[in-house]
Amino acid sequence: MLRRRSQTSVDDTPVPVDDPKPQGKGRPTPKRREAEGKRRQYVSAPKDRKEAYRQMRAKQAAERDRARQGMLAGDERYLPVRDKGPARKFARDWVDSRRLPSQYFLPFSLVILLATWVPWPMAIRAQVLGYVVTIGWPIMMIGVLFTSVYVSWKVKKLVAEKLPDESVKGVGFYAAMRALQIRKLRFPPPQVLPGGKPVPPKR
């Protein structure tokens, strides 16, 4: 009697498109260690101390350049502690948006100093020194003193009104000292022009 070989039935039913079972990717799933290894970037170790020192210098130079660019742009993250905070930012913008007499203190002092160095004839030299001592210096010092007091008082008052949560300690002196500086030498650099318009970006 012939025995029938048992045949394994094969399910050839087509799989629907929305079958919830995941389909094969056609490739083995990489191990976690291999995947992490591929994501890591190869960093060459320095060959000697000289190479390590060169890499360190390059890294420090890049960090200094990034910090300098941030300070020039007025980025709070890179500013010194004395320049940080909304109150100091308001004081800088208030001073920079105005032409104050005290900002001409240094140029005027330089002009007076040069005038005393010029080899004038004795008669003219005496007159120049007389005008400098009796007229020039007193007018300049009175103007600087008056402007500094006014700037300090005004900025403290405005900060207290517009930024009530900020401390006004030292902000008046900070504004007065900035008003004494030549505009192009101020740091952080001015972000507004005289009149209040923003400084256009450099191209």
Side-chain angles (χ1 to χ4, degrees):
M1 190 177 200
L2 297 176
R3 297 181 179 178
R4 294 180 180 179
R5 294 181 179 179
S6 60
Q7 296 179 354
T8 303
S9 60
V10 178
D11 187 6
D12 57 352
T13 305
V15 179
V17 177
D18 57 349
D19 189 357
K21 295 182 181 180
Q23 303 300 315
K25 294 182 292 186
R27 53 185 172 83
T29 303
K31 295 182 180 180
R32 182 176 181 181
R33 183 181 303 174
E34 296 176 358
E36 291 179 353
K38 290 181 179 180
R39 287 197 297 266
R40 293 174 182 169
Q41 295 182 352
Y42 177 75
V43 179
S44 58
K47 299 178 182 180
D48 49 26
R49 287 187 177 182
K50 185 177 181 180
E51 179 66 17
Y53 182 70
R54 188 189 66 80
Q55 292 181 4
M56 182 184 69
R57 290 287 299 273
K59 182 179 179 181
Q60 290 176 347
E63 291 177 352
R64 287 195 300 268
D65 184 67
R66 183 167 58 252
R68 185 179 66 86
Q69 295 296 334
M71 286 188 290
L72 292 177
D75 193 334
E76 287 274 337
R77 295 174 298 175
Y78 301 102
L79 294 179
V81 177
R82 68 181 181 86
D83 298 310
K84 288 185 176 181
R88 303 300 173 98
K89 175 69 166 57
F90 177 86
R92 291 197 299 270
D93 291 346
W94 190 92
V95 171
D96 296 337
S97 64
R98 289 162 175 80
R99 297 187 187 276
L100 301 167
S102 58
Q103 73 184 72
Y104 302 105
F105 167 72
L106 292 179
F108 187 63
S109 300
L110 181 61
V111 170
I112 290 178
L113 187 62
L114 292 176
T116 59
W117 284 356
V118 174
W120 307 100
M122 293 301 296
I124 298 178
R125 182 177 179 82
Q127 291 181 358
V128 169
L129 292 177
Y131 287 135
V132 168
V133 173
T134 61
I135 299 177
W137 278 107
I139 291 177
M140 182 183 65
M141 296 308 298
I142 291 174
V144 168
L145 180 61
F146 176 79
T147 304
S148 299
V149 172
Y150 171 76
V151 168
S152 178
W153 169 79
K154 188 67 174 180
V155 170
K156 287 178 65 175
K157 180 182 178 181
L158 292 175
V159 169
E161 293 176 355
K162 298 180 180 296
L163 303 170
D165 296 333
E166 294 292 324
S167 173
V168 297
K169 182 179 180 181
V171 70
F173 180 78
Y174 177 80
M177 291 298 99
R178 187 173 181 86
L180 282 172
Q181 300 171 0
I182 300 174
R183 181 179 177 84
K184 291 185 178 181
L185 300 181
R186 291 173 183 172
F187 183 86
Q191 300 295 313
V192 293
L193 296 171
K197 293 183 180 180
V199 174
K202 295 182 180 180
R203 296 179 180 180

